[in-house]
mmCIF file of all heavy atoms in Angstrom:
data_model
loop_
_atom_site.group_PDB
_atom_site.id
_atom_site.type_symbol
_atom_site.label_atom_id
_atom_site.label_comp_id
_atom_site.label_asym_id
_atom_site.label_seq_id
_atom_site.Cartn_x
_atom_site.Cartn_y
_atom_site.Cartn_z
ATOM 1 N N ASP A 159 15.118 6.815 19.752
ATOM 2 C CA ASP A 159 16.121 5.816 19.387
ATOM 3 C C ASP A 159 16.231 5.560 17.894
ATOM 4 O O ASP A 159 16.837 4.574 17.462
ATOM 5 C CB ASP A 159 15.826 4.501 20.132
ATOM 6 C CG ASP A 159 14.457 3.933 19.782
ATOM 7 O OD1 ASP A 159 13.770 4.485 18.899
ATOM 8 O OD2 ASP A 159 14.093 2.926 20.417
ATOM 9 N N TYR A 160 15.640 6.425 17.101
ATOM 10 C CA TYR A 160 15.709 6.231 15.640
ATOM 11 C C TYR A 160 15.353 7.567 15.032
ATOM 12 O O TYR A 160 14.359 8.213 15.442
ATOM 13 C CB TYR A 160 14.706 5.136 15.247
ATOM 14 C CG TYR A 160 14.477 4.952 13.763
ATOM 15 C CD1 TYR A 160 15.432 4.353 12.950
ATOM 16 C CD2 TYR A 160 13.270 5.336 13.193
ATOM 17 C CE1 TYR A 160 15.214 4.176 11.605
ATOM 18 C CE2 TYR A 160 13.043 5.153 11.835
ATOM 19 C CZ TYR A 160 14.009 4.571 11.062
ATOM 20 O OH TYR A 160 13.783 4.382 9.705
ATOM 21 N N TYR A 164 12.608 12.363 5.990
ATOM 22 C CA TYR A 164 11.645 12.103 4.928
ATOM 23 C C TYR A 164 11.706 13.251 3.919
ATOM 24 O O TYR A 164 11.964 14.405 4.267
ATOM 25 C CB TYR A 164 10.234 11.986 5.499
ATOM 26 C CG TYR A 164 9.906 10.652 6.122
ATOM 27 C CD1 TYR A 164 10.475 10.271 7.335
ATOM 28 C CD2 TYR A 164 9.050 9.766 5.487
ATOM 29 C CE1 TYR A 164 10.175 9.036 7.906
ATOM 30 C CE2 TYR A 164 8.744 8.529 6.050
ATOM 31 C CZ TYR A 164 9.311 8.179 7.256
ATOM 32 O OH TYR A 164 9.007 6.960 7.814
ATOM 33 N N GLN A 166 9.530 15.094 0.748
ATOM 34 C CA GLN A 166 8.184 15.236 0.204
ATOM 35 C C GLN A 166 8.212 16.164 -1.011
ATOM 36 O O GLN A 166 8.600 17.328 -0.911
ATOM 37 C CB GLN A 166 7.218 15.775 1.258
ATOM 38 C CG GLN A 166 5.777 15.870 0.758
ATOM 39 C CD GLN A 166 4.819 16.423 1.795
ATOM 40 O OE1 GLN A 166 5.206 17.219 2.643
ATOM 41 N NE2 GLN A 166 3.562 15.991 1.735
ATOM 42 N N PRO A 172 5.078 12.223 2.108
ATOM 43 C CA PRO A 172 6.509 12.083 2.426
ATOM 44 C C PRO A 172 6.971 10.640 2.210
ATOM 45 O O PRO A 172 6.184 9.707 2.315
ATOM 46 C CB PRO A 172 6.562 12.457 3.904
ATOM 47 C CG PRO A 172 5.327 13.228 4.179
ATOM 48 C CD PRO A 172 4.287 12.657 3.263
ATOM 49 N N LEU A 174 10.471 7.983 3.073
ATOM 50 C CA LEU A 174 11.714 7.840 3.814
ATOM 51 C C LEU A 174 12.901 8.022 2.888
ATOM 52 O O LEU A 174 12.996 7.415 1.812
ATOM 53 C CB LEU A 174 11.776 6.459 4.472
ATOM 54 C CG LEU A 174 13.038 6.167 5.274
ATOM 55 C CD1 LEU A 174 13.122 7.089 6.484
ATOM 56 C CD2 LEU A 174 13.075 4.710 5.697
ATOM 57 N N ARG A 179 20.503 5.436 13.618
ATOM 58 C CA ARG A 179 20.306 5.074 15.033
ATOM 59 C C ARG A 179 21.335 5.818 15.870
ATOM 60 O O ARG A 179 22.405 6.147 15.353
ATOM 61 C CB ARG A 179 20.413 3.576 15.214
ATOM 62 C CG ARG A 179 19.398 2.818 14.424
ATOM 63 C CD ARG A 179 19.380 1.349 14.793
ATOM 64 N NE ARG A 179 18.526 0.598 13.874
ATOM 65 C CZ ARG A 179 17.211 0.587 13.927
ATOM 66 N NH1 ARG A 179 16.567 1.298 14.807
ATOM 67 N NH2 ARG A 179 16.528 -0.111 13.046
ATOM 68 N N LYS A 221 11.877 8.711 16.688
ATOM 69 C CA LYS A 221 10.953 7.672 17.161
ATOM 70 C C LYS A 221 10.997 7.588 18.675
ATOM 71 O O LYS A 221 12.079 7.506 19.264
ATOM 72 C CB LYS A 221 11.311 6.305 16.566
ATOM 73 C CG LYS A 221 10.352 5.190 17.001
ATOM 74 C CD LYS A 221 10.591 3.923 16.242
ATOM 75 C CE LYS A 221 11.818 3.170 16.672
ATOM 76 N NZ LYS A 221 11.713 2.599 18.022
ATOM 77 N N TYR A 225 6.846 3.829 19.596
ATOM 78 C CA TYR A 225 6.969 3.590 18.156
ATOM 79 C C TYR A 225 6.286 4.679 17.329
ATOM 80 O O TYR A 225 5.958 4.466 16.172
ATOM 81 C CB TYR A 225 6.418 2.213 17.777
ATOM 82 C CG TYR A 225 7.324 1.087 18.216
ATOM 83 C CD1 TYR A 225 7.233 0.578 19.502
ATOM 84 C CD2 TYR A 225 8.270 0.539 17.367
ATOM 85 C CE1 TYR A 225 8.063 -0.443 19.919
ATOM 86 C CE2 TYR A 225 9.113 -0.466 17.769
ATOM 87 C CZ TYR A 225 8.994 -0.969 19.055
ATOM 88 O OH TYR A 225 9.829 -1.975 19.462
ATOM 89 N N GLN A 226 6.071 5.845 17.932
ATOM 90 C CA GLN A 226 5.503 6.965 17.165
ATOM 91 C C GLN A 226 6.651 7.856 16.692
ATOM 92 O O GLN A 226 7.687 7.974 17.368
ATOM 93 C CB GLN A 226 4.570 7.771 18.053
ATOM 94 C CG GLN A 226 3.347 7.008 18.479
ATOM 95 C CD GLN A 226 2.090 7.719 18.100
ATOM 96 O OE1 GLN A 226 2.032 8.358 17.055
ATOM 97 N NE2 GLN A 226 1.081 7.624 18.942
ATOM 98 N N TRP A 229 7.656 14.639 14.652
ATOM 99 C CA TRP A 229 8.113 15.277 13.402
ATOM 100 C C TRP A 229 8.624 16.693 13.617
ATOM 101 O O TRP A 229 8.055 17.461 14.416
ATOM 102 C CB TRP A 229 6.961 15.332 12.395
ATOM 103 C CG TRP A 229 6.479 13.982 11.962
ATOM 104 C CD1 TRP A 229 5.559 13.180 12.586
ATOM 105 C CD2 TRP A 229 6.922 13.247 10.824
ATOM 106 N NE1 TRP A 229 5.411 12.020 11.897
ATOM 107 C CE2 TRP A 229 6.204 12.025 10.799
ATOM 108 C CE3 TRP A 229 7.840 13.511 9.782
ATOM 109 C CZ2 TRP A 229 6.400 11.068 9.804
ATOM 110 C CZ3 TRP A 229 8.006 12.569 8.793
ATOM 111 C CH2 TRP A 229 7.304 11.350 8.795
ATOM 112 N N TYR B 53 -2.554 12.062 9.482
ATOM 113 C CA TYR B 53 -1.928 13.352 9.729
ATOM 114 C C TYR B 53 -2.691 14.423 8.954
ATOM 115 O O TYR B 53 -3.348 14.141 7.949
ATOM 116 C CB TYR B 53 -0.473 13.376 9.221
ATOM 117 C CG TYR B 53 0.480 12.458 9.933
ATOM 118 C CD1 TYR B 53 0.725 11.173 9.458
ATOM 119 C CD2 TYR B 53 1.171 12.875 11.068
ATOM 120 C CE1 TYR B 53 1.641 10.335 10.095
ATOM 121 C CE2 TYR B 53 2.093 12.049 11.715
ATOM 122 C CZ TYR B 53 2.299 10.765 11.208
ATOM 123 O OH TYR B 53 3.194 9.959 11.844
ATOM 124 N N GLN B 55 -1.886 18.201 7.113
ATOM 125 C CA GLN B 55 -0.829 19.090 6.668
ATOM 126 C C GLN B 55 -1.476 20.325 6.042
ATOM 127 O O GLN B 55 -2.047 20.240 4.958
ATOM 128 C CB GLN B 55 0.099 18.388 5.672
ATOM 129 C CG GLN B 55 1.302 19.214 5.276
ATOM 130 C CD GLN B 55 2.281 18.452 4.409
ATOM 131 O OE1 GLN B 55 1.930 17.582 3.638
ATOM 132 N NE2 GLN B 55 3.584 18.769 4.561
ATOM 133 N N ASP B 74 -4.743 5.612 19.508
ATOM 134 C CA ASP B 74 -4.236 6.806 20.156
ATOM 135 C C ASP B 74 -4.877 8.011 19.474
ATOM 136 O O ASP B 74 -4.503 8.354 18.365
ATOM 137 C CB ASP B 74 -2.711 6.859 20.045
ATOM 138 C CG ASP B 74 -2.116 8.126 20.643
ATOM 139 O OD1 ASP B 74 -2.874 9.047 21.029
ATOM 140 O OD2 ASP B 74 -0.887 8.225 20.695
ATOM 141 N N LYS B 117 8.581 -4.229 15.452
ATOM 142 C CA LYS B 117 9.692 -5.105 15.809
ATOM 143 C C LYS B 117 10.576 -4.377 16.795
ATOM 144 O O LYS B 117 10.660 -3.158 16.789
ATOM 145 C CB LYS B 117 10.547 -5.415 14.583
ATOM 146 C CG LYS B 117 9.917 -6.300 13.535
ATOM 147 C CD LYS B 117 10.980 -6.606 12.483
ATOM 148 C CE LYS B 117 10.347 -6.835 11.121
ATOM 149 N NZ LYS B 117 11.389 -7.038 10.109
ATOM 150 N N LEU B 119 14.120 -3.063 18.411
ATOM 151 C CA LEU B 119 15.338 -2.573 17.804
ATOM 152 C C LEU B 119 16.316 -3.709 17.564
ATOM 153 O O LEU B 119 17.036 -3.742 16.564
ATOM 154 C CB LEU B 119 15.990 -1.530 18.699
ATOM 155 C CG LEU B 119 15.444 -0.124 18.598
ATOM 156 C CD1 LEU B 119 16.165 0.773 19.578
ATOM 157 C CD2 LEU B 119 15.590 0.399 17.196
ATOM 158 N N GLY B 123 14.148 -3.489 13.914
ATOM 159 C CA GLY B 123 12.894 -2.778 13.615
ATOM 160 C C GLY B 123 13.106 -1.271 13.608
ATOM 161 O O GLY B 123 13.982 -0.741 14.244
ATOM 162 N N ASN B 125 10.459 2.351 12.407
ATOM 163 C CA ASN B 125 9.073 2.735 12.304
ATOM 164 C C ASN B 125 8.826 3.437 10.976
ATOM 165 O O ASN B 125 8.167 4.458 10.930
ATOM 166 C CB ASN B 125 8.675 3.643 13.470
ATOM 167 C CG ASN B 125 7.174 3.787 13.586
ATOM 168 O OD1 ASN B 125 6.437 2.863 13.290
ATOM 169 N ND2 ASN B 125 6.715 4.958 14.003
ATOM 170 N N GLU B 126 9.402 2.858 9.870
ATOM 171 C CA GLU B 126 9.196 3.520 8.596
ATOM 172 C C GLU B 126 7.725 3.600 8.301
ATOM 173 O O GLU B 126 7.008 2.592 8.373
ATOM 174 C CB GLU B 126 9.912 2.799 7.449
ATOM 175 C CG GLU B 126 9.684 3.490 6.103
ATOM 176 C CD GLU B 126 10.462 2.888 4.958
ATOM 177 O OE1 GLU B 126 11.216 1.944 5.190
ATOM 178 O OE2 GLU B 126 10.289 3.383 3.832
ATOM 179 N N GLN B 127 7.295 4.766 7.992
ATOM 180 C CA GLN B 127 5.902 4.994 7.633
ATOM 181 C C GLN B 127 5.822 5.191 6.122
ATOM 182 O O GLN B 127 6.584 5.954 5.549
ATOM 183 C CB GLN B 127 5.348 6.194 8.388
ATOM 184 C CG GLN B 127 5.319 5.967 9.893
ATOM 185 C CD GLN B 127 4.686 7.107 10.660
ATOM 186 O OE1 GLN B 127 4.010 7.954 10.097
ATOM 187 N NE2 GLN B 127 4.913 7.132 11.965
ATOM 188 N N PHE B 129 3.546 6.549 3.204
ATOM 189 C CA PHE B 129 2.469 7.513 3.080
ATOM 190 C C PHE B 129 1.682 7.338 1.784
ATOM 191 O O PHE B 129 2.237 6.985 0.742
ATOM 192 C CB PHE B 129 3.024 8.940 3.100
ATOM 193 C CG PHE B 129 3.393 9.426 4.472
ATOM 194 C CD1 PHE B 129 4.612 9.089 5.040
ATOM 195 C CD2 PHE B 129 2.515 10.225 5.192
ATOM 196 C CE1 PHE B 129 4.951 9.533 6.319
ATOM 197 C CE2 PHE B 129 2.851 10.674 6.462
ATOM 198 C CZ PHE B 129 4.065 10.330 7.023
#
Side-chain angles (χ1 to χ4, degrees):
Chain A
D159 61 5
Y160 171 73
Y164 280 72
Q166 183 181 29
L174 180 66
R179 299 189 189 283
K221 181 171 75 69
Y225 288 85
Q226 294 236 35
W229 296 86
Chain B
Y53 294 93
Q55 186 173 32
D74 177 353
K117 290 186 209 177
L119 278 178
N125 194 33
E126 179 175 358
Q127 296 184 16
F129 283 82

